[in-house]
Amino acid sequence: MEEPLVLVSDESGVRTLALNRPKSLNSFTGAMHGELAAALDAAASDAAVRCVVLTGSGRGFCAGQDLADPAVAPNLEPGAKPVDVGATVERFYKPLALRVRSMPVPVIAAVNGVAAGAGANLALCCDLVIARRSASFIQAFAKIGLVPDCGGTWLLPRLVGRARALGLAMLGDKLAAEEAERIGLIWKCVDDLVFESEVRAVAQRLAAMPTRALAATRAAIDAAQQLEFAAALSHEATWQTELGGAHDYLEGVAAFMAKRAPVFSDR
Ligand code: T3D
């Protein structure tokens, strides 16, 4: 039987999805896109899942598009019809980025090794990026004559500013995890030896938190990037009206008053 291209495992409300094409550093084929899309949809619709961890098998996180995939690789014969790379982006990477950023639960990118091209930007689409100290991020696109995709043009300047975004995207140099943390590209870089335990601890912590409020926090922060200050204040009020009528708010306040641990359940 063929190995799944995405390994799925569960632990106490945390669903881990591991890209599983380690020989080619988990680069994306159409088939792996299909399995990841299905796995994300399944996690989104499973009420028992309260946090998703996206990671890679083997020594890499994800090297972006599989440049050898016959379905999308350019035909290098002279005069051959060019492949429509934009169609691949529309078909696979745009839905993937939108799916990750609209998940009803927090999503952690556990970057276990090199994250290149769309693989790097897939990580940046996640809510928290935790990377091994030995991992790295590469905006590899310019090296093969493309622009950053999978959200890179939108995410990079917002995360690190225009100057660094252009430096990373135009030069395509390898950025060490430690430097990625220092410039604010990612949440945290952790020593290789404690990487897995740290990811597990953060994921378990998020899974015990008010899931619906966490997803709303992402939505509100993203929406505010496009709003005037007064409009963002109003948008916050709209969210508070919705969340303030929900179970988790009442539970959170009751637990605080009773000096006990809250038990959140909204999704
Ligand atoms: O259709 C479209 O193209 C649209 C979508 C575009 C989105 C994109 O993501 S474009 C960017 C595509 N990705 C890249 O350009 C990255 C290519 N890979 C690399 O530059 C390097 O592999 C890394 C810097 C990521 C890692 O280097 P290193 O030295 O640690 O490993 P390696 O030896 O280069 O790679 C190990 C194996 O993985 C190797 O195979 P082999 O020789 O052992 O049989 C290599 O060919 C394979 N591999 C790595 N990346 C890809 C890949 N195979 C296919 N596609 C890849 N992207």
Side-chain angles (χ1 to χ4, degrees), residues 23-25 59 63-67 85 88 93 118 138 140-141 149:
K23 285 187 188 147
S24 49
L25 302 180
R59 73 174 176 93
Q65 175 62 41
D66 183 328
L67 299 172
V85 179
T88 305
Y93 292 100
I138 310 175
F141 307 90
D149 61 23

Side-chain angles (χ1 to χ4, degrees), residues 57-126:
S57 304
R59 73 174 176 93
F61 174 73
C62 174
Q65 175 62 41
D66 183 328
L67 299 172
D69 182 355
V72 295
N75 184 339
L76 301 176
E77 294 298 318
K81 193 168 168 267
V83 294
D84 186 346
V85 179
T88 305
V89 171
E90 284 287 348
R91 180 169 172 207
F92 293 119
Y93 292 100
K94 181 178 167 185
L96 172 60
L98 291 173
R99 173 74 280 191
V100 169
R101 287 179 71 91
S102 63
M103 287 293 282
V105 299
V107 184
I108 297 175
V111 180
N112 54 302
V114 65
N121 294 337
L122 171 60
L124 301 183
C125 282
C126 297

